[in-house]
DNA sequence: TATGCGATATTCT
DNA sequence: GAATATCGCATAG
């Protein structure tokens, strides 16, 4: 009785071209809501619908790039549409989509997906069958999608295995609230999410911001 | 349901 | 040595 699971629904996704992505960090963070993240493995496809992002724009004190370029954050300085993957808290990888022009360090953190395809694989990697716990949160998302340092610096619009695709259905109104887990510039409403979507991370009381 | 805290590794100071 | 764009389990209510 798997006929109702999202994993069996055929996906009609087209790859996004770089020219379709806004270069501006805030615009890109909004634009990515509802779009599809796809990771083609040798034997299967992993895919999810992006439902939550955070912008880390130019001059933002909470951004990794705030203090200038270092070897560890090189990918943030690539042209918009590249993956920046970093490791933190001893256990989690997280993925950004780089923004702005080449040489400028800024990006959009992917915080949550709605699982679409490859759910069995995600469940095995995450050690749970609970759909809501597979990709809700940036660390979970990376683990479920098999994202780690190997894909750091990958061009997401160049025909590779990890790529951004078109939206598969209409996107509900987008909310904007404060970001999670930061200690500087904490008041900026740079966290964007699809309203009413259960796969958005964090406590619900933090979602009372303005659109 | 809500809050608290330890685990864990990479980077920069 | 300190800090960290988190997670998952523990405990209390």
């Amino acid at each position: 009785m798997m006929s109702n699971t999202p994993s069996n629904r055929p996906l009609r996704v087209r790859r996004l071209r770089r020219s379709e992505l806004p270069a501006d960090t805030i615009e890109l963070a909004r634009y990515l809501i509802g779009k599809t993240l796809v990771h083609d493995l040798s034997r299967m496809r992993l895919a999810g619908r992006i439902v939550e992002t955070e912008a880390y724009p130019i001059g933002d004190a909470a951004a990794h790039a705030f203090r200038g370029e270092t070897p560890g954050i090189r990918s943030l300085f690539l042209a918009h549409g590249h993956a920046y993957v970093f490791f933190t808290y001893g256990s989690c990888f997280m993925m950004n989509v780089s923004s702005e022009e080449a040489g400028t360090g800024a990006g959009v953190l992917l915080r949550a997906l709605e699982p679409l395809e490859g759910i069995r694989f995600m469940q095995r990697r995450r050690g749970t069958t609970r759909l809501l716990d597979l990709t809700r949160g940036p660390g979970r998302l990376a683990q479920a999608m098999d994202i780690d340092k190997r894909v750091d610096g990958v061009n997401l619009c160049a025909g590779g295995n990890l790529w951004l695709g078109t939206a598969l259905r209409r996107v509900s109104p987008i909310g904007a609230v404060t970001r999670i887990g930061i200690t500087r510039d904490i008041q900026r409403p740079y966290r964007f999410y699809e309203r009413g979507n259960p796969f958005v991370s964090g406590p619900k009381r933090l979602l009372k911001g303005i659109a």
Side-chain angles (χ1 to χ4, degrees):
Chain A
M1 294 302 288
M2 300 289 286
S3 56
N4 285 332
T5 63
S7 59
N8 287 347
R9 209 180 289 152
L11 294 183
R12 295 269 159 88
V13 188
R14 173 179 67 73
R15 288 176 183 260
L16 292 171
R17 295 178 288 274
R18 184 199 301 278
S19 59
E20 296 176 82
L21 303 186
D24 179 83
T25 308
I26 307 289
E27 286 180 35
L28 180 62
R30 283 183 170 277
Y31 172 85
L32 288 176
I33 300 293
K35 301 300 187 295
T36 310
L37 179 67
V38 181
H39 196 182
D40 286 319
L41 305 183
S42 53
R43 307 211 41 179
M44 79 181 71
R45 167 168 290 185
L46 305 177
R49 186 167 174 275
I50 299 169
V51 299
E52 182 184 1
T53 62
E54 276 178 1
Y56 288 87
I58 301 167
D60 174 17
H64 287 182
F66 185 60
R67 277 167 252 258
E69 189 167 356
T70 62
I73 61 173
R74 202 182 318 132
S75 303
L76 269 182
F77 290 77
L78 297 172
H80 67 291
H82 288 78
Y84 161 58
V85 178
F86 67 98
F87 185 85
T88 193
Y89 292 114
S91 57
C92 303
F93 288 101
M94 300 192 202
M95 175 180 163
N96 285 237
V97 178
S98 69
S99 56
E100 310 296 340
E101 63 190 36
T104 300
V108 174
L109 173 69
L110 302 185
R111 284 198 57 90
L113 304 178
E114 179 179 330
L116 294 173
E117 195 169 343
I119 288 174
R120 297 281 289 278
F121 179 91
M122 295 182 187
Q123 289 171 329
R124 203 159 56 242
R125 274 189 66 83
R126 294 275 309 116
T128 176
T129 58
R130 200 158 170 255
L131 219 52
L132 275 174
D133 287 340
L134 296 183
T135 51
R136 192 181 40 141
R140 292 170 175 148
L141 172 164
Q143 188 183 22
M145 291 290 289
D146 200 23
I147 287 167
D148 58 28
K149 271 287 186 189
R150 288 172 301 177
V151 295
D152 181 44
V154 159
N155 186 342
L156 300 169
C157 304
N161 293 330
L162 183 65
W163 50 278
L164 292 166
T166 49
L168 288 168
R169 63 169 199 264
R170 195 172 62 64
V171 187
S172 294
I174 294 173
V177 289
T178 54
R179 295 172 290 181
I180 287 183
I182 56 171
T183 56
R184 293 175 292 254
D185 277 350
I186 58 176
Q187 290 301 331
R188 301 176 181 214
Y190 289 163
R191 179 159 72 109
F192 302 99
Y193 67 101
E194 181 181 48
R195 289 197 167 199
N197 192 297
F199 292 93
V200 172
S201 72
K204 282 196 182 131
R205 64 188 156 79
L206 297 181
L207 298 181
K208 309 230 170 173
I210 30 165

